[in-house]
Amino acid sequence: MNRKIRNVLSVLGLAAAVGVMAPGAATAGTTAGTTTATTPVGTWRGTVDHGDGSGQITVSFHRGGLVCLTAGDGSDGGGQGLGIWNQTGDGTFTYRLVERMFQADGTTVGYVDVNQKAVQQSGTFDSSGTSRVYDAVGTYLTSVEAKVSVQRVSTTPSC
């Protein structure tokens, strides 16, 4: 795995382990001038469209800035990611995570550095950004534009 991916994973793992709050992340349900209705805290399901097509995803946002993602159902492989999110305004936020892509037998086939800007409107949000794709040993392969469209299914994070 290349140094950049290893560093991102280390930082994200450390942040999760010690509960480090991302600057500007929502806490206890509110940030300056926002309510839980306009923060992404909870679980969301929908689709991601990217260079290779589209797929189903579940994204969960925790108070304090942690975000996690699952993609696919695992029968044909899928993805699992962990990262941070930041509230940037009323109904707007960013999130960044590293997603491990795997085959049905669990073998890691690559990583995706996901970087998104989101706009939330009540129980939905749309986001877009550039994802950098790496193979299983961390060699950069390509960048793709990705668009996410999801609906809130719970106010409680699922991962």
Side-chain angles (χ1 to χ4, degrees), residues 63-151:
R63 288 182 174 88
L66 182 68
V67 60
C68 51
L69 172 143
T70 57
D73 65 6
S75 63
D76 291 326
Q80 295 177 326
L82 182 65
I84 58 173
W85 70 274
N86 292 290
Q87 190 85 36
T88 56
D90 189 20
T92 61
F93 60 96
T94 61
Y95 58 102
R96 184 165 189 184
L97 56 92
V98 174
E99 179 182 5
R100 178 182 75 94
M101 304 302 295
F102 57 89
Q103 295 175 336
D105 67 0
T107 302
T108 299
V109 294
Y111 297 90
V112 182
D113 178 4
V114 176
N115 195 356
Q116 295 274 299
K117 292 181 181 179
V119 176
Q120 179 183 345
Q121 295 182 344
S122 187
T124 66
F125 81 74
D126 294 305
S127 66
S128 62
T130 302
S131 294
R132 295 176 56 87
V133 182
Y134 299 84
D135 68 12
V137 295
T139 303
Y140 172 76
L141 300 174
T142 189
S143 291
V144 297
E145 292 301 310
K147 293 183 180 183
V148 171
S149 181
V150 292
Q151 294 183 344

Side-chain angles (χ1 to χ4, degrees), residues 43-46 123-125 149-154:
T43 300
W44 304 75
R45 287 197 185 110
T124 66
F125 81 74
S149 181
V150 292
Q151 294 183 344
R152 188 190 309 257
V153 295
S154 173

Side-chain angles (χ1 to χ4, degrees), residues 51-75:
D52 291 338
S54 66
Q56 297 295 307
I57 61 167
T58 300
V59 187
S60 288
F61 297 90
H62 294 257
R63 288 182 174 88
L66 182 68
V67 60
C68 51
L69 172 143
T70 57
D73 65 6
S75 63

